[in-house]
Amino acid sequence: MLRMNSLAVVAGILVLGNGVARADDRVAPSQDYTVARPTLLATAPPAHRRPLMSLLEQAGVAKPLDDAGINLYGHVEAGWTYNFDDPNDNLNPFRIFDFEHNEPILDQFDFTVERLVDYRKNKFDVGFRAEIMYGADAGIIHSNGLFDWYDGIRKPENQWDLTQAYVDVVVPVGTGLRLRIGKFVNFVGYETINPTTGGIVDFYSRSLTFFNYPFTHTGIIGTYDITKDVTLTLGVTRGDNQSTEDNNDAVSFLGSINWVINDQWALYFSNSTGPERTDNNSDYRATFDATLYFTPNKEFTAAGNVYYVFEQGGAASGDDAQLVAFALLGAYQINEMLTVKGRVEWMHDDDNYRLGPVQDIYEATVGLTIKPFPNDQWGSNLKLRPEVRWDHSPDNAFHGDDDQFTFGVDVVVTY
């Protein structure tokens, strides 16, 4: 049986070129952004009802769901990446979901049943979310004990995964407290597994830092508004990518501060700390991530991200390990149909902690988000994200070369 914990992902994702890296992520649930990113950057609710609920409404069965506050929805994503070096092994080093060269894939077929709660109303309420995924990405994000019996990553190519399964309880204390209990996606970082919740500066290829985040956690977290502009989330979990089984006997701590500074600036800080290695309860890994968002108007968004991780005994030599990364991102919405985006990034791993013998990697990506039918009830659910990306490392990280050039594109349909 394959147990896809965080260390298995390290070993399995990138065993090419001269590097080994680890895949991970954090995502915002539906229109609930208090655990994931500043409210300032929350995507506006769609102008039209999504197709699935619209069809249920036409069939006369949507009203009971609406009355109960239950929403059914999902998305389908398919993508393709071409490496201009045409590598013999057909692999793209230091990539996660798009690590296969010239191979069209069904990334995600995702379905969610959800009842959102508004803890700011400060009255007792109960909600939930169950999200299941099928596709090529599912085999990469398995947690320990759930859907981890497959032969390996993309063996078979398309697999199932229970991405999230939790209950939300609103406790009417103070300004309102929400307790989330169960399995939920990680909220460290600025990128998401889900291609519909990454905000305006989203790309098909994930950043270098993305594969250093855990995908999911299982535990309990509480979300509380300290002020109307500052939201605090704290909790304990079984650890990175652990669920019905645990790779050690220790708990991990998870937390974030979400501060909407004013109409233009917002800061999101997150931390995950705990022993994460198998059968190791004493060596702590501490991950710190901070993203500063700047949105001067409705057309332009920019962000700067700093990522730092420290792990006791995490280096290949057995010494303590450190890794740091910096990223700048920006997006400009030209019109309702077209958004242009850019991202630059640098990751430094002096202790051969996450990148094998590679110490420095840089990447620059430019891309578009194309919505061909933004005002159509059905067509507004379609978007395309073409991109061109350049990766560089002075450590010959890409099949013995310093550089890697790729073109990628995905198609996302929400329903």
Side-chain angles (χ1 to χ4, degrees):
M1 177 182 293
L2 172 67
R3 294 185 177 179
M4 191 65 68
N5 58 24
S6 58
L7 294 181
V9 176
V10 175
I13 288 289
L14 298 169
V15 287
L16 45 108
N18 291 322
V20 176
R22 185 168 66 91
D24 308 322
D25 183 6
R26 179 263 320 148
V27 73
S30 187
Q31 298 300 319
D32 171 14
Y33 298 92
T34 57
V35 173
R37 63 181 69 251
T39 306
L40 173 68
L41 300 176
T43 304
H48 306 288
R49 194 165 201 175
R50 281 193 177 187
L52 178 57
M53 289 297 291
S54 180
L55 289 173
L56 292 175
E57 184 176 36
Q58 294 176 27
V61 296
K63 189 177 186 306
L65 295 173
D66 290 336
D67 293 342
I70 296 174
N71 192 18
L72 310 179
Y73 63 93
H75 67 269
V76 181
E77 179 193 20
W80 173 75
T81 299
Y82 184 83
N83 189 322
F84 291 98
D85 293 331
D86 195 16
N88 292 329
D89 58 7
N90 292 321
L91 296 175
N92 306 316
F94 299 100
R95 300 293 183 85
I96 298 303
F97 298 147
D98 61 334
F99 67 85
E100 293 177 283
H101 158 62
N102 199 22
E103 181 70 25
I105 58 174
L106 171 64
D107 288 88
Q108 301 178 19
F109 182 19
D110 185 277
F111 175 70
T112 296
V113 181
E114 178 182 65
R115 185 183 189 277
L116 287 175
V117 295
D118 186 355
Y119 68 93
R120 293 185 173 95
K121 291 183 178 179
N122 200 14
K123 64 178 183 180
F124 180 80
D125 200 359
V126 177
F128 62 88
R129 179 180 175 124
E131 178 182 2
I132 192 165
M133 179 193 296
Y134 176 77
D137 294 351
I140 301 174
I141 65 171
H142 293 319
S143 59
N144 192 9
L146 276 177
F147 289 93
D148 57 357
W149 52 77
Y150 292 98
D151 292 334
I153 295 172
R154 295 186 181 168
K155 296 180 181 180
E157 179 171 286
N158 295 319
Q159 303 178 22
W160 292 95
D161 188 74
L162 182 62
T163 310
Q164 300 191 86
Y166 60 75
V167 173
D168 282 339
V169 179
V170 176
V171 182
V173 295
T175 58
L177 170 67
R178 184 188 63 197
L179 297 177
R180 177 163 293 174
I181 306 161
K183 184 189 179 193
F184 43 85
V185 290
N186 175 47
F187 52 85
V188 173
Y190 62 89
E191 287 178 297
T192 68
I193 297 172
N194 189 323
T196 72
T197 57
I200 190 173
V201 197
D202 60 338
F203 293 87
Y204 177 44
S205 71
R206 305 309 199 273
S207 67
L208 295 170
T209 54
F210 179 81
F211 57 67
N212 288 283
Y213 300 134
F215 288 120
T216 58
H217 298 277
T218 301
I220 178 170
I221 54 175
T223 298
Y224 186 85
D225 288 345
I226 300 175
T227 71
K228 66 181 182 64
D229 297 319
V230 179
T231 299
L232 178 68
T233 297
L234 293 174
V236 294
T237 74
R238 304 192 77 177
D240 296 351
N241 304 315
Q242 310 301 308
S243 56
T244 61
E245 298 182 23
D246 200 344
N247 65 347
N248 58 40
D249 298 324
V251 298
S252 295
F253 299 92
L254 203 59
S256 71
I257 298 175
N258 179 49
W259 179 22
V260 179
I261 302 170
N262 53 40
D263 291 341
Q264 296 186 351
W265 294 91
L267 176 65
Y268 182 80
F269 176 82
S270 54
N271 170 258
S272 176
T273 298
E276 300 297 346
R277 299 202 298 274
T278 301
D279 298 326
N280 186 323
N281 299 325
S282 57
D283 290 332
Y284 275 67
R285 177 188 303 163
T287 298
F288 299 91
D289 188 280
T291 305
L292 180 65
Y293 296 92
F294 176 55
T295 306
N297 51 55
K298 65 180 182 179
E299 291 83 18
F300 179 71
T301 294
N305 175 261
V306 179
Y307 170 81
Y308 173 79
V309 59
F310 170 86
E311 183 163 1
Q312 295 174 311
S317 63
D319 295 333
D320 295 344
Q322 299 181 77
L323 180 141
V324 64
F326 301 92
L328 295 174
L329 311 95
Y332 183 79
Q333 185 175 357
I334 297 173
N335 52 45
E336 291 179 314
M337 296 177 59
L338 188 63
T339 300
V340 60
K341 307 167 296 186
R343 177 184 66 203
V344 293
E345 186 182 15
W346 168 56
M347 177 173 287
H348 178 69
D349 182 5
D350 195 43
D351 297 312
N352 305 131
Y353 173 41
R354 297 282 178 83
L355 305 181
V358 177
Q359 294 188 350
D360 292 283
I361 299 182
Y362 306 81
E363 68 98 353
T365 306
V366 292
L368 302 172
T369 295
I370 304 169
K371 297 182 177 180
F373 314 104
N375 298 312
D376 182 78
Q377 180 175 358
W378 296 85
S380 60
N381 295 282
L382 168 68
K383 71 176 179 181
L384 299 89
R385 300 187 298 177
E387 66 170 51
V388 177
R389 173 165 167 167
W390 168 59
D391 295 275
H392 172 77
S393 172
D395 302 311
N396 301 319
F398 309 103
H399 299 94
D401 294 330
D402 289 348
D403 301 290
Q404 174 177 261
F405 291 91
T406 60
F407 170 81
V409 61
D410 71 340
V411 179
V412 182
V413 178
T414 56
Y415 65 87

